[in-house]
Amino acid sequence: TLTDLPLLLAAMAAVGSVHAAPPAAALPLVDWSDLSSAERRPTFLRELRHALADVGFCVLTNHPDFTDAMQKRMFSVAREFFAAPDAAKRSADISHTPYYRGWSKDSRSKQKGRIPSLLAQEAFQYGFDCAPVARHDDQSVPVYRRLFRGPNTWPDADRFPEFKPRA
């Protein structure tokens, strides 16, 4: 299931990284069913690491929970959120947290004509929900460790009840 992903990502460190990878000629395909075999599991982890670290994305095949219907529902929930009035989305504004999680909108650049209308002017950033390593302003901890690890900022659950479960 998708809840296995944190364990898989942690296990990837044990596999090692791919060195001097050539430019990708095609989208990397990573087969989820390789996890069902003890002998194929290292292959899955190596391919996933290469796809995410060297290419930046992949096509995940044969995941039992990632059906077409589920993907359509996820996109529907995302469209509903971004189509809502800004006032409704502000409950998840990224300014509510020092961990760079939540909704953001760049309306000033659009108004000044600096961003073409086809580019994204809104975003929702989230990651693994976890406790902070340290306070966001704790100078004894490197900035890359303390600023990007923390709780997510979610929109109002009464207004967007499916957003968090589908994200």
Side-chain angles (χ1 to χ4, degrees):
T1 65
L2 293 176
T3 57
D4 296 330
L5 195 54
L7 296 173
L8 294 173
L9 294 175
M12 285 170 48
V15 175
S17 63
V18 177
H19 299 286
L27 293 175
L29 299 176
V30 180
D31 189 345
W32 185 270
S33 64
D34 285 343
L35 287 174
S36 62
S37 162
E39 63 187 38
R40 296 281 308 154
R41 185 180 177 95
T43 299
F44 172 84
L45 295 173
R46 187 173 49 257
E47 290 174 353
L48 182 63
R49 180 181 203 63
H50 164 69
L52 299 180
D54 299 329
V55 179
F57 51 88
C58 69
V59 175
L60 184 62
T61 62
N62 298 317
H63 190 289
D65 297 333
F66 209 57
T67 64
D68 285 344
M70 190 270 296
Q71 291 178 62
K72 287 177 184 175
R73 186 67 195 134
M74 289 172 71
F75 278 109
S76 173
V77 168
R79 283 186 194 101
E80 176 188 349
F81 175 77
F82 285 109
D86 288 357
K89 295 179 276 194
R90 281 196 187 99
S91 64
D93 197 288
I94 202 165
S95 67
H96 296 319
T97 177
Y99 302 107
Y100 298 96
R101 310 279 180 100
W103 171 71
S104 60
K105 180 175 182 176
D106 187 1
S107 58
R108 294 171 309 208
S109 296
K110 184 178 179 186
Q111 290 170 356
K112 293 178 184 177
R114 294 191 320 212
I115 297 179
S117 61
L118 294 177
L119 295 179
Q121 290 113 29
E122 287 185 79
F124 192 91
Q125 299 171 69
Y126 65 100
F128 293 116
D129 229 345
C130 57
V133 173
R135 284 188 40 85
H136 70 281
D137 57 356
D138 182 348
Q139 298 294 316
S140 69
V141 178
V143 68
Y144 67 88
R145 292 200 63 226
R146 62 184 147 89
L147 288 188
F148 303 105
R149 288 188 49 102
N152 288 308
T153 303
W154 297 107
D156 179 58
D158 291 333
R159 174 69 169 85
F160 303 101
E162 293 188 60
F163 191 85
K164 182 179 177 180
R166 299 286 180 184

